[in-house]
C-alpha cells in the first residue's frame, strides 16, 4: 500500500512540474459583422485546424484582417504569439502584420548569440495575394474595395 501512495505522490509531483504553455494572454473580440463573415469563410474552407489571423491597419480607421491557412513552412509568429481572436468558442492565433516587418523569425536569445558573428539572422515575409481578407472599421462596418 505504501508503494502505491509513494507512486501516486511521485506522479503528482512529476506532472505538476511539467511546463504548461499558455496559448494566449491577450484575447481579441472582433465586431459581430466581421465574425459572421469569418465563420462563413472558415466553414467554406473546411480546414480550421491550422488557421491563423494577421491584423493590419490600412489607415487611421480601417483594418484588414487576413485569414491564413498554414500550408507553408512553420510560421514563427503563429507559434510564438500571445494574441488570439475569440471565434466560435475557439481561440485562433493572431499576430500583427508589422511583426513580420520589424522582427526576425527567431528567438531573442538566438539573435543575441548571432550578433557580431558571421551567422545570418532569418528574415521571413509571407505573400498574401490569394489569401482571404476583410476590411472593416472599428464600428464593424465592412469596407468594400
Amino acid at each position: 500500500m505504501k508503494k502505491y501512495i509513494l507512486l501516486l505522490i511521485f506522479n503528482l509531483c512529476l506532472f505538476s512540474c511539467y511546463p504548461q504553455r499558455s496559448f494566449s494572454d491577450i484575447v481579441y473580440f472582433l465586431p459581430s459583422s466581421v465574425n459572421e463573415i469569418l465563420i462563413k469563410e472558415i466553414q467554406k474552407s473546411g480546414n480550421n485546424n491550422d488557421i491563423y489571423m494577421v491584423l493590419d491597419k490600412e489607415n487611421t480607421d480601417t483594418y484588414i484582417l487576413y485569414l491564413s491557412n498554414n500550408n507553408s513552412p512553420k510560421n514563427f509568429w503563429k507559434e510564438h504569439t500571445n494574441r488570439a481572436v475569440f471565434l466560435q468558442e475557439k481561440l485562433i492565433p493572431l499576430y500583427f502584420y508589422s511583426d513580420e516587418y520589424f522582427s526576425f523569425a527567431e528567438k531573442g536569445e538566438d539573435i543575441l548569440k548571432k550578433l557580431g558573428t558571421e551567422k545570418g539572422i532569418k528574415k521571413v515575409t509571407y505573400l498574401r495575394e490569394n489569401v482571404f481578407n476583410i476590411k472593416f472599421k472599428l464600428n464593424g462596418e465592412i469596407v468594400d474595395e
Side-chain angles (χ1 to χ4, degrees):
M1 183 68 173
K2 286 184 181 181
K3 289 181 184 179
Y4 292 115
I5 293 173
L6 287 175
L7 186 61
L8 180 63
I9 291 172
F10 176 72
N11 282 334
L12 288 174
C13 290
L14 181 66
F15 287 116
S16 67
C17 294
Y18 185 78
Q20 297 176 353
R21 183 174 178 252
S22 167
F23 179 71
S24 175
D25 296 325
I26 305 169
V27 178
Y28 291 79
F29 294 88
L30 299 172
S32 60
S33 58
V34 176
N35 280 344
E36 291 172 9
I37 293 171
L38 289 172
I39 290 168
K40 288 178 186 175
E41 186 62 29
I42 290 171
Q43 288 173 344
K44 265 198 260 180
S45 70
N47 182 12
N48 59 2
N49 293 332
D50 290 331
I51 60 172
Y52 62 95
M53 297 183 192
V54 182
L55 184 64
D56 193 12
K57 192 168 185 177
E58 185 173 65
N59 56 41
T60 57
D61 64 342
T62 304
Y63 294 88
I64 304 174
L65 186 70
Y66 297 94
L67 181 64
S68 296
N69 184 326
N70 198 6
N71 291 331
S72 61
K74 187 175 178 182
N75 186 314
F76 177 83
W77 294 280
K78 176 191 168 200
E79 299 296 323
H80 292 89
T81 186
N82 66 337
R83 302 178 195 108
V85 172
F86 182 80
L87 186 66
Q88 284 187 308
E89 307 296 323
K90 291 172 71 175
L91 292 177
I92 299 174
L94 170 78
Y95 67 89
F96 298 143
Y97 200 68
S98 59
D99 291 342
E100 293 176 7
Y101 287 116
F102 298 109
S103 67
F104 295 96
E106 295 185 49
K107 290 186 176 185
E109 64 250 11
D110 295 339
I111 291 174
L112 292 176
K113 288 177 187 175
K114 290 180 180 181
L115 290 176
T117 68
E118 298 285 324
K119 295 180 181 177
I121 300 172
K122 275 194 236 177
K123 186 70 174 168
V124 178
T125 304
Y126 292 96
L127 298 176
R128 292 190 177 76
E129 292 178 5
N130 297 319
V131 174
F132 176 81
N133 67 69
I134 182 170
K135 291 183 183 181
F136 64 97
K137 296 187 183 218
L138 280 177
N139 64 3
E141 176 188 344
I142 306 300
V143 178
D144 294 327
E145 294 188 59

